[in-house]
Coordinates of all heavy atoms in Angstrom, one line a residue:
L1446 N 104.4 125.9 103.2 CA 103.4 124.7 103.0 C 104.1 123.6 103.4 O 105.3 123.4 103.3 CB 102.9 124.8 101.7 CG 102.2 126.0 101.1 CD1 101.6 125.7 99.8 CD2 101.0 126.4 102.1
L1449 N 102.9 118.2 100.8 CA 101.6 117.7 100.2 C 100.7 118.9 99.9 O 100.1 118.9 98.8 CB 100.9 116.7 101.1 CG 101.5 115.4 101.2 CD1 100.9 114.4 102.2 CD2 101.5 114.7 99.8
Q1450 N 100.7 119.9 100.7 CA 100.0 121.1 100.3 C 100.5 121.8 99.2 O 99.8 122.2 98.3 CB 100.0 122.1 101.6 CG 99.1 121.7 102.8 CD 99.4 122.6 104.0 OE1 100.6 123.1 104.2 NE2 98.5 122.9 104.8
A1451 N 101.8 121.8 99.1 CA 102.5 122.5 98.0 C 102.2 121.7 96.7 O 101.9 122.4 95.6 CB 104.0 122.7 98.2
R1452 N 102.3 120.5 96.7 CA 102.0 119.6 95.6 C 100.5 119.8 95.1 O 100.3 119.9 94.0 CB 102.3 118.2 96.0 CG 102.3 117.2 94.8 CD 102.6 115.8 95.4 NE 102.1 114.8 94.5 CZ 102.6 114.4 93.4 NH1 103.8 114.8 93.1 NH2 102.0 113.5 92.7
N1453 N 99.6 119.8 96.1 CA 98.3 120.0 95.7 C 98.0 121.3 95.1 O 97.1 121.4 94.2 CB 97.3 119.7 97.0 CG 97.3 118.3 97.3 OD1 97.5 117.5 96.5 ND2 97.0 117.9 98.6
K1454 N 98.8 122.4 95.6 CA 98.6 123.7 95.1 C 99.0 123.7 93.5 O 98.3 124.2 92.7 CB 99.5 124.6 95.8 CG 99.3 126.0 95.7 CD 98.0 126.4 96.5 CE 97.3 127.6 95.9 NZ 95.9 127.8 96.3
V1455 N 100.1 123.0 93.3 CA 100.6 122.9 91.9 C 99.5 122.1 91.1 O 99.1 122.7 89.9 CB 101.9 122.1 91.8 CG1 102.2 121.8 90.3 CG2 103.0 122.8 92.4
I1456 N 98.9 121.1 91.6 CA 97.9 120.3 90.8 C 96.6 121.2 90.5 O 96.2 121.3 89.5 CB 97.6 119.1 91.5 CG1 98.8 118.1 91.5 CG2 96.4 118.3 90.9 CD1 98.7 116.9 92.4
E1457 N 96.3 121.9 91.6 CA 95.1 122.8 91.5 C 95.3 123.9 90.4 O 94.5 124.1 89.5 CB 94.9 123.4 92.9 CG 93.6 124.2 93.0 CD 93.6 125.0 94.4 OE1 94.1 124.4 95.4 OE2 93.1 126.1 94.4
E1458 N 96.5 124.6 90.5 CA 96.7 125.8 89.7 C 96.9 125.3 88.2 O 96.4 125.9 87.4 CB 97.8 126.6 90.3 CG 97.4 127.3 91.6 CD 96.3 128.2 91.5 OE1 96.1 128.9 90.4 OE2 95.5 128.3 92.5
V1459 N 97.7 124.4 88.1 CA 98.1 124.0 86.7 C 96.9 123.4 86.1 O 96.5 123.6 84.9 CB 99.3 123.0 86.6 CG1 99.6 122.5 85.2 CG2 100.5 123.6 87.2
G1460 N 96.1 122.5 86.8 CA 94.9 121.9 86.4 C 93.9 122.9 85.9 O 93.1 122.7 85.0
K1461 N 93.8 124.1 86.6 CA 92.8 125.1 86.3 C 93.2 125.8 85.0 O 92.2 126.2 84.3 CB 93.0 126.1 87.5 CG 91.7 126.7 88.0 CD 91.7 127.7 89.1 CE 92.9 127.9 89.9 NZ 92.5 128.6 91.3
R1462 N 94.4 126.0 84.8 CA 94.8 127.0 83.8 C 95.3 126.5 82.4 O 95.4 127.2 81.5 CB 95.8 128.0 84.2 CG 95.3 128.7 85.4 CD 96.3 129.7 85.8 NE 96.0 130.1 87.2 CZ 96.3 131.3 87.6 NH1 96.9 132.2 86.9 NH2 96.0 131.6 88.9
N1463 N 95.7 125.2 82.4 CA 96.3 124.7 81.2 C 95.6 123.6 80.5 O 95.4 122.6 80.9 CB 97.7 124.2 81.6 CG 98.8 125.3 81.7 OD1 99.2 125.8 80.6 ND2 99.0 125.9 82.8
A1464 N 95.2 124.0 79.2 CA 94.8 123.0 78.4 C 95.9 122.2 77.7 O 96.9 122.9 77.4 CB 93.9 123.6 77.2
E1711 N 102.7 135.4 89.4 CA 102.0 135.3 90.7 C 102.4 134.1 91.4 O 102.4 133.0 90.8 CB 100.5 135.2 90.3 CG 99.5 135.1 91.5 CD 98.1 134.7 91.2 OE1 97.8 134.5 90.0 OE2 97.3 134.4 92.1
F1713 N 102.5 131.0 94.3 CA 101.5 130.3 95.2 C 102.3 129.7 96.4 O 101.6 129.3 97.4 CB 100.8 129.2 94.4 CG 100.0 129.8 93.2 CD1 100.5 129.8 92.0 CD2 98.8 130.4 93.6 CE1 99.8 130.5 91.0 CE2 98.0 131.0 92.6 CZ 98.5 131.1 91.3
F1714 N 103.5 129.4 96.3 CA 104.4 129.2 97.4 C 105.8 129.6 97.1 O 106.3 129.5 95.9 CB 104.3 127.7 97.9 CG 104.7 126.7 97.0 CD1 105.9 126.3 96.7 CD2 103.6 125.9 96.3 CE1 106.3 125.2 95.9 CE2 104.0 124.9 95.4 CZ 105.3 124.6 95.2
F1727 N 106.9 128.3 93.5 CA 105.9 127.9 92.2 C 105.0 129.1 92.0 O 104.5 129.6 93.0 CB 105.2 126.7 92.6 CG 104.0 126.5 91.7 CD1 104.0 126.3 90.4 CD2 102.7 126.6 92.3 CE1 103.0 126.2 89.6 CE2 101.5 126.5 91.4 CZ 101.7 126.3 90.1
G1728 N 104.9 129.5 90.8 CA 104.0 130.5 90.4 C 103.4 130.3 89.0 O 103.9 129.4 88.3
M1729 N 102.7 131.2 88.5 CA 102.2 131.3 87.2 C 102.7 132.6 86.6 O 102.6 133.6 87.3 CB 100.7 131.2 87.0 CG 100.1 129.9 87.5 SD 100.4 128.4 86.6 CE 99.6 128.7 85.1
P1734 N 103.2 127.7 84.0 CA 103.7 127.4 85.3 C 105.2 127.6 85.3 O 105.9 127.2 84.4 CB 103.3 125.9 85.5 CG 102.5 125.5 84.2 CD 102.7 126.6 83.3
F1736 N 108.7 127.2 88.0 CA 109.2 126.6 89.2 C 110.6 127.2 89.4 O 111.5 127.1 88.5 CB 109.3 125.1 89.1 CG 107.9 124.5 88.8 CD1 107.4 124.4 87.6 CD2 107.1 124.0 90.0 CE1 106.1 123.8 87.4 CE2 105.9 123.5 89.8 CZ 105.5 123.3 88.5
L1751 N 108.6 116.2 93.4 CA 107.5 116.5 94.3 C 106.5 117.4 93.6 O 105.3 117.3 93.7 CB 107.9 117.1 95.6 CG 108.7 116.2 96.6 CD1 109.0 117.0 97.8 CD2 107.8 114.9 96.9
F1752 N 107.1 118.4 92.9 CA 106.2 119.6 92.4 C 106.2 119.7 90.9 O 105.1 120.1 90.4 CB 106.7 121.0 93.0 CG 107.0 120.8 94.5 CD1 108.1 121.1 95.1 CD2 105.9 120.3 95.3 CE1 108.3 121.0 96.5 CE2 106.0 120.2 96.7 CZ 107.3 120.6 97.2
P1755 N 104.1 116.4 88.8 CA 102.6 116.4 88.5 C 102.1 117.5 87.5 O 101.2 117.3 86.8 CB 102.0 116.7 89.9 CG 103.2 117.3 90.7 CD 104.5 116.6 90.1
A1756 N 102.9 118.7 87.5 CA 102.5 119.6 86.5 C 102.7 119.1 85.0 O 101.9 119.4 84.1 CB 103.4 120.9 86.6
L1759 N 99.8 116.9 84.0 CA 98.6 117.7 83.7 C 98.7 118.4 82.4 O 97.8 118.5 81.5 CB 98.3 118.7 84.8 CG 97.9 118.1 86.1 CD1 97.9 119.2 87.2 CD2 96.5 117.6 86.1
L1760 N 99.9 118.9 82.1 CA 100.2 119.5 80.8 C 100.2 118.6 79.6 O 100.0 118.9 78.5 CB 101.5 120.3 80.8 CG 101.7 121.4 81.8 CD1 103.1 121.9 81.8 CD2 100.8 122.6 81.3
E1764 N 95.9 112.8 84.3 CA 95.8 113.2 85.7 C 97.2 113.1 86.3 O 98.0 112.4 85.8 CB 95.0 112.3 86.4 CG 93.5 112.5 86.1 CD 92.6 111.6 87.0 OE1 93.0 111.0 87.9 OE2 91.4 111.6 86.5
A1765 N 97.4 113.9 87.4 CA 98.7 113.7 88.1 C 98.8 112.4 88.7 O 97.9 111.9 89.4 CB 98.8 114.9 89.2

Side-chain angles (χ1 to χ4, degrees):
L1446 302 184
L1449 286 174
Q1450 287 170 326
R1452 187 177 156 85
N1453 287 336
K1454 198 77 206 159
V1455 170
I1456 293 169
E1457 185 188 325
E1458 292 302 327
V1459 178
K1461 219 176 348 195
R1462 302 186 194 209
N1463 273 284
E1711 179 193 357
F1713 299 98
F1714 59 80
F1727 163 62
M1729 297 293 293
F1736 297 87
L1751 296 178
F1752 310 126
L1759 294 168
L1760 294 171
E1764 284 182 15

